[in-house]
Amino acid sequence: MGTHRNGYKKETFILSVDVGTTSIRCHVYDKEAKIRGTCTTKVSLLYPEPGRVEMDPAELWQSFVTVVKGAVQDSGCHIGQMEAIGISTQRATFTTWERKTGRPFHNFISWQDLRAAELVKSWNQSCTMKSIHGVMKVLHFLTRQKRFLAASLVVFSTQHVSLRLAWMLHNCPELRKAVDENNCCLGTIDTWLLYKLTKGSVHATDYSNASTTGIFDSYQMCWSGFLCSLLSLPLSILPKVHNTSHNFGSSDPSIFGVAIPIMTVMADQQAAMFGECCFDIGDVKITMGTGTFMDINTGSKPHTSVAGLYPLIGWKIGHNVVYLAEGNAADTGTAIKWAQELELFTDVCETEEMATSVKDSDGVCFVPSFSGLQAPLNDPRACASFMGLKPSTSKNHLVRAILESVAFRNKQLYDVMRRETHIPISKIRADGGVCTNDFVMQLTADLVGRKIARPCHFDMSALGAAFMAGLGIGFWNSQEELKMLHSTDRVFLPQNGTQGDAKYRPIIQSWERALQRSMNWYGKCE
């Protein structure tokens, strides 16, 4: 065990905190990557107006401290036995605060927030964007550099920080004044937590989080001066970007009683990818939580997409950068929770039995778009809807339609990924709360025609952050060692070969018609 840094011989552990969209979880991991202690609390989402989703920064910070202390207490260990802390966070949720005092100017603006939807639409349809696309196409033709092709295809999204920040700058005079006086810091959740943990001495993020903001150039590996200039976003408020595996400093001893090295901050989907040990080109992971996120490891080069897959930095360790291509569907767990609140069922565990109790959905289609539709349709104004309702429709049909829609979106994202990347798929792993549903898992395996592995533990974002932090301090020695620690609960095999896809083809075609009818719904109503 060796002598611990605090001077006594004890077993040591890694702390990992995952700040998700609906909960904050902290786990204490041992050398075998087993959870020795855990603590969870809910994230309070605020809905001040329709389409707006916020979180209280002070409450989030207090919840963070509470779960860390709770997990250590639950483990029966001493806080001094914690070798390091790793932090995984939901992405592109941001706030701004006063540089001198740390006082936030506003609540966190969630990645689900739609306040900038009209701004996104007007920018994407503007003559400026058409001109930029044209110039970039010419530059790509002349230079064959992929970053110019990427720029010729770029479109803004409400899920990016960029235009939500532009909206806040336009609508919050106090924020604009602070920017003019160089008294403003911007941060996603990881940056805010680093700032609070170090009592204001660190204003930083990592490459995985920066690459999800929509204002970072993943080709040049820096904040995009061009985009900031285009949108009038001040570069001065942006945090410094470090490697994902990096010593970001230590927590102030007044917070937990000892100083704990902060060895990684990581975006949650990239952390889940790392936790699933998807280290090789062609590895795919599907996280089905609040939303669905499908990622493929594209190696050392970013992928340039025409259908809305987003090129992300997975992680940077030393000089090595791993890129991912990602497609997402924003409303997966959201739709299931909504159905529960409508009392279609009492316990989520019932949904699988309800879905299999009927032979099909009786022609009912569900469009899961409370936050618009993402790749490949990319319509932030789409509405969620049930279509094909009849007097014979039962709760079981509705639940089956909702679960089918999750698998249909998985199939849609998988097809786009294969078509666009041309990378042979080596393995598929699934995680997130919804992956506990065997109906969704089996239908997804049938539709994509590939086996899908489900891990023993579903909290892959926390495990990924723990793995990254542990590698950084030598708690674990290599990625090969991490692969040996990974455990699989069940592998779902396609039951009918390619026939599963053929059987469902007419149902998917009906569902795709429902998608089309739900598109641009809110645009028509205004």
Side-chain angles (χ1 to χ4, degrees), residues 35-57:
I35 296 173
R36 297 285 287 268
T38 188
C39 185
T40 305
T41 188
K42 286 187 177 179
V43 169
S44 299
L45 294 175
L46 308 171
Y47 303 95
E49 291 181 33
R52 297 190 183 183
V53 189
E54 300 180 358
M55 288 180 289
D56 182 338

Side-chain angles (χ1 to χ4, degrees), residues 154-193:
V154 73
V155 290
F156 292 111
S157 161
T158 55
Q159 290 187 15
H160 297 153
V161 170
S162 50
L163 284 176
R164 279 180 288 130
L165 174 58
W167 190 97
M168 288 304 301
L169 285 165
H170 183 73
N171 289 279
C172 182
E174 187 186 14
L175 174 58
R176 284 203 312 277
K177 184 170 182 285
V179 168
D180 293 339
E181 294 171 353
N182 197 28
N183 187 27
C184 179
C185 293
L186 174 131
T188 43
I189 289 176
D190 58 301
T191 303
W192 170 249
L193 292 175

